[in-house]
Amino acid sequence: MAPVQNVPFVSILLCMVCALLCAVLPGKAARFLARAVPGLICLGNLALTFAFRDLEPFHYPMGHFPAPWGNELRAGPLEAVCSAALALTAFLSLNAGMRKVRQQIPERKQNLFCVVTLMTLCAVCALLYTNDLFTGYVFIEISTLSAAALIFSRQDDRSLAASLRYLVMNLTGSGLCLMGISMLYGITGQLNMESIRQSLAAAEGPPSLPLRAVMVLLTVGLSIKCGLFPFHEWLPDAYAYSTPASSALLSSVVSKGYLFLLIKFYMRCVGLEAVRASGLATALSSLAGLGLLIGSLHAIRQWDLRRMISYSSVAQISFVFLAVGLCTPEAMTAAVFHMLVHAFGKSMLFLSASGLSDVSGGRFDADSLQGAGKRHFAAGAAFTLGAVSMTGVPLLGGFLSKIYLSQAAIATSGPLSAAVLLLLALSTFLNTLYFLHAVVGIYRPGPLETPPRRATGAGYLVSLCLMMAVNLYLGTASASLYSTLLRGISLFA
Amino acid sequence: MAALFSDHLYEAAAMLLFGVGFTTLLLNRNLLKKIIGLNVMDTAVYLFLASMGYIEGRFPPILREGVTDASAYVNPVPAGLVLTGIVVSVSVTALLLALTVRLYERFRTLNIDEIVLLARKGEK
């Protein structure tokens, strides 16, 4: 076994061990560790991605027993690329947001904040790499708990209330997932994804009623946790009122773990054919289409910039579900590509919004933010770039993911493909409305007396610049990334 | 329908309990009752798993003297899943209870709607 094949296991273990260390180390060391570990994981997974050029996907046994009895990880190009990208987002978000963390989070809680960031990353890595559904469930819960802690780490009224709503909704989602996994275990007698697939493949014909129930339970459970319309009510408060680093992690890293598990469940456990035959794909597409429009319409109505970005997340998550609902390998690739675009774009938007508010007296409403883009050049540029990417302007990531989804939709040729194209056009129009409004707002001539400017720090500026670079890379030079994703998806099933 | 209930009594009871717990967690406005609902819901899943794992006339999965045939024992995996589930549900309950205590200290109410309203008011 090549040494690089230990990367998946080491990533998960490193997060766990360093999370424990963060609880006992002095504050400064803990903050350093919380920022360094995501960087290391990103580098390791990048090495694994390049190794996959001549390496086949492999299984990594955990413990003494072989697969159907023991637990195991599964790694392929898709998992490696996604973990590298998500770890990079976490690395950049934490480096950009750490100064704010020190300002907003009580001193004695800062170590615990570092613990939960690392546990979040650990859960996401495990969700990406696990080959066992019940392990998936355990890490879903770990991810939920640490995300709740990320939200209430600020300890003010609104973030506490937001995390309560988050927990209630997300625990109903986990309950549905657990029931679904238990029922699937009852049907197949297996928890390993490949064994489930083999056991289900033995039964001919369209999916049976219990299997349909399992698919609905898992789909609804995971889409509650991602914030798909109509289960999105918890999302805006949770994203908007936590500290910027938390918002960035929640919107770009946490939700992607659940999405990836859902794609894995569809492709590796039940198969795309069964998803289409059960009618679930159509239901998912319809909900996603509605969510795409309603999320954008809500975003237009918001006066708080953070809430606007959060509602835009609702629309973007629906975009991913729309692609998943098409149920073809190309559409799945488009979904994963958009997950990465959204991860880098949304974290950049949340962090640049915090920079803009710093030069506007700490406020987030349109009036106070007037002229903020001129007062803080880097944050203004990053916000503009992120907004433009989300609306889908060429040379940026959002444009390419729309192109990929349209191509996948046209290839399916049916009434659904026309509906998807129409929805894309409508959502682009709505995105332009609210993002353009915000971008014009921050460059409008501001008040004559500028509010006192707070220092943002070198880490913030460097991270924002790197995020802008990654967004440009996704839009201009990502052909090899796309082909890696496509290869990963084809090796997935 | 009646046969379904008599043949699968434990599974049917588990589904019923799951529904009770799920609706309580989602719809009840009182935080403590929500937490109780969460626990009822999780317990329903354990009942479901345990009833699947139990086969009448077989031994628990602990080696007995002289009996080496695997088919004499029940499958240990469902019990393992139940144990894991209990650990998860205990930690989730602990976090929710801690959050409830914190919120009650601040707002002097257990009603989730009032808490959200008061938190919103406190901001302005």
Side-chain angles (χ1 to χ4, degrees):
Chain A
M1 185 186 266
V4 76
Q5 286 177 299
N6 291 310
V7 164
F9 173 68
V10 171
S11 304
I12 299 170
L13 192 73
L14 186 70
C15 281
M16 278 190 187
V17 172
C18 291
L20 282 177
L21 282 178
C22 277
V24 289
L25 284 175
K28 203 170 175 190
R31 288 196 297 274
F32 172 76
L33 211 55
R35 282 178 287 181
V37 170
L40 281 178
I41 291 178
C42 172
L43 289 179
N45 281 295
L46 269 183
L48 184 61
T49 311
F50 285 112
F52 270 121
R53 285 185 172 169
D54 32 41
L55 203 66
E56 287 298 305
F58 59 90
H59 293 93
Y60 191 91
M62 314 273 287
H64 299 293
F65 298 102
W69 301 284
N71 209 331
E72 65 173 16
L73 302 176
R74 188 259 183 198
L78 191 67
E79 288 98 326
V81 171
C82 286
S83 5
L86 294 183
L88 180 62
T89 332
F91 174 71
L92 293 176
S93 309
L94 284 167
N95 274 299
M98 203 44 103
R99 184 180 275 258
K100 266 276 178 266
V101 166
R102 294 181 65 188
Q103 288 165 5
Q104 291 179 333
I105 293 179
E107 176 122 32
R108 61 198 169 83
K109 301 283 181 194
Q110 283 172 13
N111 278 38
L112 296 180
F113 179 82
C114 299
V115 173
V116 289
T117 51
L118 288 182
M119 281 318 287
T120 313
L121 194 62
C122 166
V124 171
C125 284
L127 285 176
L128 289 172
Y129 278 119
T130 184
N131 200 23
D132 181 285
L133 266 186
F134 202 79
T135 311
Y137 164 72
V138 173
F139 279 98
I140 285 178
E141 291 286 32
I142 292 178
S143 164
T144 307
L145 289 183
S146 36
L150 277 181
I151 301 170
F152 68 61
S153 56
R154 214 172 152 178
Q155 310 261 326
D156 60 346
D157 291 357
R158 294 215 74 160
S159 61
L160 279 172
S163 76
L164 182 69
R165 289 182 77 183
Y166 171 84
L167 266 180
V168 169
M169 281 309 285
N170 275 269
L171 290 176
T172 53
S174 333
L176 292 177
C177 289
L178 178 60
M179 195 71 213
I181 293 171
S182 307
M183 281 171 70
L184 191 60
Y185 181 65
I187 298 171
T188 61
Q190 305 286 353
L191 289 166
N192 185 288
M193 294 191 186
E194 275 137 33
S195 312
I196 290 176
R197 186 70 193 271
Q198 282 163 8
S199 165
L200 289 178
E204 295 281 311
S208 62
L209 187 66
L211 183 61
R212 281 175 202 226
V214 168
M215 280 154 62
V216 169
L217 281 172
L218 268 166
T219 307
V220 173
L222 287 172
S223 42
I224 289 178
K225 299 174 86 67
C226 298
L228 175 69
F229 172 83
F231 316 113
H232 65 285
E233 282 301 316
W234 58 267
L235 189 146
D237 282 5
Y239 285 9
Y241 300 123
S242 43
T243 182
S246 300
S247 310
L249 281 178
L250 286 165
S251 62
S252 53
V253 179
V254 175
S255 57
K256 303 300 178 292
Y258 305 138
L259 272 170
F260 199 87
L261 189 68
L262 187 69
I263 293 179
K264 216 149 119 163
F265 170 69
Y266 283 169
M267 297 196 69
R268 291 177 59 73
C269 294
V270 290
L272 291 178
E273 272 306 314
V275 181
R276 224 175 296 141
S278 65
L280 197 62
T282 322
L284 211 55
S285 304
S286 331
L287 282 184
L290 275 175
L292 201 57
L293 299 181
I294 289 175
S296 301
L297 287 175
H298 272 298
I300 293 174
R301 285 178 41 219
Q302 302 303 317
W303 56 267
D304 186 321
L305 191 63
R306 292 170 301 178
R307 285 182 71 88
M308 188 200 87
I309 304 172
S310 308
Y311 272 111
S312 144
S313 263
V314 175
Q316 302 294 333
I317 289 291
S318 302
F319 183 102
V320 177
F321 273 100
L322 192 65
V324 171
L326 286 176
C327 275
T328 61
E330 289 76 25
M332 290 293 173
T333 317
V336 177
F337 187 79
H338 191 70
M339 270 157 58
L340 303 186
V341 168
H342 179 244
F344 285 110
K346 201 49 48 108
S347 51
M348 187 166 79
L349 279 173
F350 272 116
L351 291 162
S352 56
S354 111
L356 290 174
S357 126
D358 272 351
V359 291
S360 312
R363 300 177 65 88
F364 283 94
D365 56 302
D367 287 344
S368 312
L369 284 173
Q370 269 188 22
K374 289 179 198 156
R375 295 196 290 274
H376 194 316
F377 180 76
F383 185 83
T384 311
L385 200 76
V388 169
S389 165
M390 288 289 136
T391 45
V393 169
L395 296 183
L396 289 162
F399 174 71
L400 276 187
S401 58
K402 277 179 186 170
I403 289 274
Y404 293 143
L405 177 59
S406 321
Q407 283 171 348
I410 291 168
T412 56
S413 73
L416 199 59
S417 76
V420 169
L421 291 181
L422 192 70
L423 273 171
L424 276 183
L426 256 177
S427 88
T428 308
F429 172 69
L430 291 174
N431 280 346
T432 318
L433 267 187
Y434 61 86
F435 272 128
L436 198 65
H437 183 76
V439 170
V440 169
I442 61 169
Y443 287 110
R444 207 178 282 151
L448 288 177
E449 337 164 9
T450 47
R453 181 188 171 133
R454 287 190 225 156
T456 39
Y460 178 77
L461 294 179
V462 172
S463 305
L464 272 195
C465 291
L466 283 175
M467 279 182 173
M468 286 194 265
V470 174
N471 273 289
L472 282 171
Y473 161 77
L474 281 174
T476 49
S478 60
S480 64
L481 174 71
Y482 182 76
S483 56
T484 313
L485 291 179
L486 199 60
R487 176 162 169 257
I489 287 276
S490 65
L491 290 172
F492 219 34
Chain B
M1 196 68 183
L4 187 75
F5 275 92
S6 58
D7 291 351
H8 303 278
L9 185 63
Y10 290 106
E11 282 87 348
M15 285 302 157
L16 208 68
L17 272 179
F18 186 84
V20 170
F22 183 79
T23 41
T24 313
L25 173 60
L26 203 59
L27 300 178
N28 204 303
R29 307 326 292 169
N30 185 309
L31 276 179
L32 286 180
K33 289 182 186 165
K34 265 187 195 296
I35 297 174
I36 293 172
L38 170 76
N39 279 283
V40 171
M41 183 176 84
D42 283 346
T43 314
V45 182
Y46 309 148
L47 175 63
F48 184 76
L49 281 170
S51 67
M52 272 192 317
Y54 178 71
I55 303 171
E56 220 170 318
R58 291 205 188 174
F59 300 127
I62 302 165
L63 194 65
R64 292 193 165 211
E65 260 180 63
V67 188
T68 47
D69 183 15
S71 64
Y73 300 96
V74 298
N75 181 0
V77 173
L81 299 185
V82 171
L83 275 179
T84 316
I86 289 175
V87 173
V88 168
S89 124
V90 165
S91 41
V92 170
T93 310
L95 183 80
L96 260 181
L97 283 173
L99 197 60
T100 308
V101 170
R102 183 65 65 86
L103 284 164
Y104 185 77
E105 277 170 0
R106 291 208 183 187
F107 301 114
R108 295 278 143 200
T109 170
L110 286 175
N111 185 313
I112 185 168
D113 291 338
E114 282 177 27
I115 290 175
V116 171
L117 268 181
L118 284 171
R120 209 167 279 170
K121 229 180 257 169
E123 173 100 340
K124 279 164 194 164

